[in-house]
Amino acid sequence: AEGGLLNFGKVELGGGFALNLDIPETNLINISILIAGLLYFLSPVLGESMASREKEIHSDIEDAIAKYNEATSRLAEAEKNKAQADQVVKEINDSIAKDISEFQANLQSAAKKTKALQDAANDKSLTELEQRTQERLEAYIDSQAVERGLKELKGLTADKKQKFMDAAIASL
């Protein structure tokens, strides 16, 4: 039976092992009985194992769905909180901008008032200086006129003195 119909020979795998492809020699009937027995005896164990594995997979899927739903709800809540925070930030920024503009307006108003007060004080000071200067000038002119008049009177001859006295008496 070396070259039989169903003899496909041996395939060496190395290390003293070989795959025997000669179907009549490998006893196909014994192998099929062995396989059928294994399936009969192992099918409940494999079935239970597969059922428990299926339950684990379903449980894992349900857990994943629950986690996904929770994450989605948390994301929606976080986005809502972010929108509220953005609104608060906008209100704060608007308030800051309003406060800045009010401060600038107050500062400009105060600067204008201060400038007006300084201008008024400067004008008053200038008027007072002009008035004092005018008074001093008039006093100086008067004193110079008196000094000149005295000098001229001292330098008058007796004739001119008599005429001046007569004119002064006549004016009274």
Side-chain angles (χ1 to χ4, degrees):
E2 200 55 46
L5 178 66
L6 297 175
N7 184 3
F8 296 109
K10 289 185 178 181
V11 177
E12 293 292 329
L13 297 176
F17 293 98
L19 186 60
N20 188 358
L21 298 177
D22 186 3
I23 293 176
E25 186 178 306
T26 56
N27 205 352
L28 192 57
I29 294 171
N30 287 340
I31 291 176
S32 17
I33 292 172
L34 178 64
I35 291 175
L38 286 174
L39 287 177
Y40 178 75
F41 290 113
L42 293 179
S43 66
V45 174
L46 290 176
E48 287 177 22
S49 173
M50 293 303 279
S52 69
R53 181 68 185 138
E54 184 178 352
K55 285 180 186 178
E56 287 178 22
I57 290 172
H58 281 295
S59 173
D60 290 346
I61 288 173
E62 289 173 1
D63 288 345
I65 289 172
K67 286 179 182 178
Y68 173 78
N69 289 337
E70 182 181 349
T72 303
S73 67
R74 283 186 179 179
L75 176 63
E77 185 177 334
E79 287 175 345
K80 178 183 169 188
N81 290 342
K82 182 187 178 296
Q84 289 174 346
D86 288 343
Q87 181 65 27
V88 168
V89 167
K90 183 183 179 295
E91 289 173 4
I92 290 171
N93 286 339
D94 291 346
S95 174
I96 289 171
K98 179 183 171 192
D99 290 347
I100 288 173
S101 64
E102 287 176 0
F103 179 73
Q104 287 175 339
N106 289 340
L107 192 61
Q108 289 174 349
S109 173
K112 285 179 183 177
K113 285 179 185 177
T114 302
K115 185 179 182 299
L117 289 174
Q118 286 177 345
D119 288 346
N122 288 342
D123 289 344
K124 182 179 176 185
S125 230
L126 183 62
T127 304
E128 289 174 359
L129 283 175
E130 286 174 349
Q131 187 178 10
R132 279 189 290 198
T133 304
Q134 186 66 30
E135 289 171 0
R136 285 183 183 171
L137 181 62
E138 287 174 7
Y140 178 75
I141 290 173
D142 288 345
S143 72
Q144 289 298 316
V146 169
E147 280 181 31
R148 276 190 189 172
L150 287 175
K151 276 185 185 179
E152 286 179 13
L153 281 178
K154 286 181 182 177
L156 285 179
T157 61
D159 243 4
K160 285 187 181 180
K161 282 183 188 178
Q162 187 59 39
K163 279 184 185 178
F164 179 70
M165 286 302 269
D166 290 338
I169 290 174
S171 70
L172 291 174

